[in-house]
Amino acid sequence: MRTVEWSKDKVCLIDQRVLPAEFRVLRLETPEEVAQAIRGMAVRGAPAIGAAAAFGLALAARRSRAADRAGLWRDLEEAAAILRAARPTAVNLAWALERVLRRCAAESDPDALRAVALAEAQAIADEDVEVNRRLGEIGAAIVPDGATILHHCNTGALATVDYGTALGVIRTAHEQGKRVHVLVDETRPLLQGARLTAWELQQLGIPFTLIADNAAGHFLRTGQVDLVLVGADRVAANGDVANKIGTYKLAVVAKENGVPFYPCVPTSTIDLSTPTGDDIPIEERPPEEVTDLVFRGMPVAPPGVRVANPAFDVTPHRYITGIITEKGIAYPPFRMSLRRIVEGRL
Ligand code: MRU
């Protein structure tokens, strides 16, 4: 199944909290349940949460008991606010909600509006798969045969509706017959690399080695990495990129060692209304994500410690070689190339 799909009037999600131990599907019936699944990271990854939120809005439209269009619109806006607040950094969430709302705004008949909300959410999901395949083709062109690729977090089918972004590029290169090897960052604190990326690569038969996050610098300095590929949650107009915490450190060490560093994003992740990385809101997540890990049967930290848990960091554009999208690769100066890409003029 897809990571996120609509089936029998419910939003169905692969529950990413229990992978790889268990494959469990959640069937959600209300927009509040969808918002909770996004907040709790049952579904995660920028494009996947965008699609889930869009379907959440379709649920709101279906379930609304409003007698007239004005009431239905109020219910939709209320649901959109709840969904939008679930996670702040990934712009795909707000982008998908705005897209559904914009499409619904044109409908005056309540039943037509309900139908259109679902159709638009479905279009967002279907397009995501198409976009990732195109992005994969474009990105694979810069992957040399025999490359060792360093990858952070999870950007595969699980982070999108299907196929993946950075992992989609790796997958396309592999499908083209290129020999690739992936160094998989475990990605503390929630271990998206160890739990999800390793699981996906294993199923795809793509060779990989799991490494502790702390080991990445060693592999970069000793010439064992040809390319760093990551995803992103938001790209600012100047090319600064917000992605999973730890990405900034990788980019700096990659540049220091002359290793190309490419974020891979659908154009829906590019936010020209956010001028620079400093303007991107960084999500702070619960301290328990850092402390409530059990190691050899013991908790990893003493009780009551103070914890900081930013979920994302910003990589300034000067560390970025290029930004791979489904419409082409943006190179510096990014302010110009990103605008061209978004407007389809590259
Ligand atoms: O907190 P997460 O797991 O949602 O973070 C995901 C990432 O940082 C991904 O790299 C990003 O969303 C791009 S996914 C194609």
Side-chain angles (χ1 to χ4, degrees), residues 41 44-47 87 153-155 159-160 165 192 231-233 243-244 312:
M41 293 180 67
R44 31 85 29 218
R87 293 193 77 191
C153 195
N154 172 268
T155 66
T160 58
T165 58
Q192 288 93 330
D233 286 78
N243 190 47
K244 179 53 53 195
F312 302 96

Side-chain angles (χ1 to χ4, degrees), residues 148-307:
T148 296
I149 303 164
L150 181 60
H151 178 272
H152 194 58
C153 195
N154 172 268
T155 66
L158 289 168
T160 58
V161 176
D162 204 353
Y163 206 73
T165 58
L167 222 57
V169 169
I170 293 169
R171 188 169 169 179
T172 307
H174 172 76
E175 283 164 4
Q176 289 173 348
K178 288 182 180 168
R179 291 159 302 139
V180 290
H181 187 100
V182 188
L183 286 177
V184 176
D185 259 4
E186 60 177 356
T187 318
R188 278 279 285 150
L190 292 182
L191 300 167
Q192 288 93 330
R195 295 187 304 108
L196 308 176
T197 300
W199 184 74
E200 285 196 44
L201 289 172
Q202 213 165 38
Q203 299 204 0
L204 294 167
I206 300 175
F208 70 94
T209 303
L210 178 64
I211 61 170
D213 293 337
N214 298 343
H218 164 76
F219 286 99
L220 283 160
R221 193 191 66 79
T222 52
Q224 298 184 69
V225 180
D226 300 296
L227 191 61
V228 182
L229 294 179
V230 297
D233 286 78
R234 192 184 300 218
V235 179
N238 71 342
D240 293 351
V241 166
N243 190 47
K244 179 53 53 195
I245 193 77
T247 303
Y248 169 50
K249 224 162 54 169
L250 286 184
V252 173
V253 183
K255 179 145 183 146
E256 164 73 12
N257 290 282
V259 177
F261 176 93
Y262 289 91
C264 308
V265 303
T267 45
S268 51
T269 304
I270 301 171
D271 180 12
L272 297 179
S273 70
T274 298
T276 74
D278 290 339
D279 304 300
I280 300 175
I282 299 293
E283 176 183 8
E284 181 72 23
R285 294 206 42 97
E288 295 75 31
E289 290 182 352
V290 178
T291 53
D292 283 13
L293 207 74
V294 174
F295 177 68
R296 293 188 182 142
M298 293 172 290
V300 294
V305 294
R306 188 191 305 191
V307 171

